[in-house]
Each structure stands twice: as structure tokens, then as C-alpha cells.
Amino acid sequence: LNATGNQLNLTASEFIDLNAAQNVEINIGGVGAVVCVGKDDGNGKVNVNGDLIVSGEVTCSSDASLKTNIRNIDDAEEKLLALNGVAFDWIESGKSTYGIIAQDVEEILPEAVSGIEGQKKVNYNCVVSLLIEAMKDQSERINELEDIIRNSDE
């Protein structure tokens, strides 16, 4: 550990518990640097209390070789219609926003929700996949209706 003025340098084997009254900027590594939180293989977790701003893309592992029992989602539109998009204010910050309620999602897509009561989290990737399949179902029905209209005009 080497501290000079406002700068703190750590070697790879050191840990720090940072508790600051002001905003703190942390720069880790240079171009191509990899930050692993938790396990050395990068499968750890990062918890952020507050807004997370990312300059760039957020990506999730999705390679087919990482998955088993792959199947299409049944009744996607019915499941989607059972969910409620809501407007709400965060208790802690008072910030107004939009989203879904984990307890509501859990009734329809239990695999999309994790955490204990009072700390439930939603995996929005599950909701996105549901939206994709429901959109495909609707598109198919629209095409069928367009065919009926077209054939009735002839």
C-alpha cells in the first residue's frame, strides 16, 4: 500500500475498505484491464447501492455451450399480459421511475426473481426473452389477420 496526497496505490494482493464522505473515483488498470470481484474466474458479484452508470455496453454470458435444456417459452403472450409495468418512486432517493415489481414477476416467472423478502431482484434478461417470444406470437397473428383481410377483398 502506497498513499501519496489524494492517490492510493495498491498491489494485486492488497484489499481496501473505502469509506468516503465525498465522491471517489477509482481507476483500475489500463486498456483491456479485467476486474474480478469474488472468484478469480470473474464469476463474482458486484453490488451497487444507487444508480450504476456505464459508459459502454453491458453484456451477459449467453453462449449456447453454457446452457442445457434449451426450449422455447410456452404461452409467452399470456405470461407477458399477466405482468404489470408500473410507475413508482424509490423510497430511499425519492426518484421517480418505471419498472416492474419483483413479487408480481415471481408469480408468473419465478426463475426471473431472486433474493429474500425485502431484497428481491429481477433478472430483466428473463423479461426480455418473454417480450421477444410474445412479439413473435403477435406478429404471427397479425400476419394471419392480414391474410384474412386480403382474401376477403378478392
Side-chain angles (χ1 to χ4, degrees), residues 44-124:
K45 295 180 180 179
V46 176
N47 293 311
V48 177
N49 185 6
D51 294 343
L52 176 64
I53 300 169
V54 177
S55 177
E57 298 178 8
V58 176
T59 59
C60 300
S61 296
S62 190
D63 194 283
S65 68
L66 302 172
K67 303 172 183 182
T68 62
N69 197 23
I70 298 170
R71 60 207 179 281
N72 286 337
I73 300 169
D74 294 326
D75 305 318
E77 187 175 3
E78 182 181 319
K79 291 174 183 170
L80 185 65
L81 291 173
L83 295 177
N84 291 308
V86 296
F88 64 93
D89 299 333
W90 286 108
I91 292 172
E92 187 174 304
S93 67
K95 181 179 178 182
S96 294
T97 191
Y98 300 97
I100 51 183
I101 304 298
Q103 287 82 350
D104 295 343
V105 175
E106 191 170 35
E107 291 179 19
I108 311 305
L109 296 171
E111 48 281 289
V113 178
S114 62
I116 60 172
E117 199 62 41
Q119 298 177 5
K120 292 196 179 277
K121 301 168 225 26
V122 174
N123 177 346
Y124 277 82

Side-chain angles (χ1 to χ4, degrees), residues 1-12 14-20 24-29:
L1 179 66
N2 178 11
T4 325
N6 290 346
Q7 190 167 350
L8 177 67
N9 297 312
L10 301 172
T11 62
E14 295 179 275
F15 299 92
I16 186 170
D17 181 7
L18 188 57
N19 198 352
V24 176
E25 181 176 320
I26 301 174
N27 295 306
I28 301 175

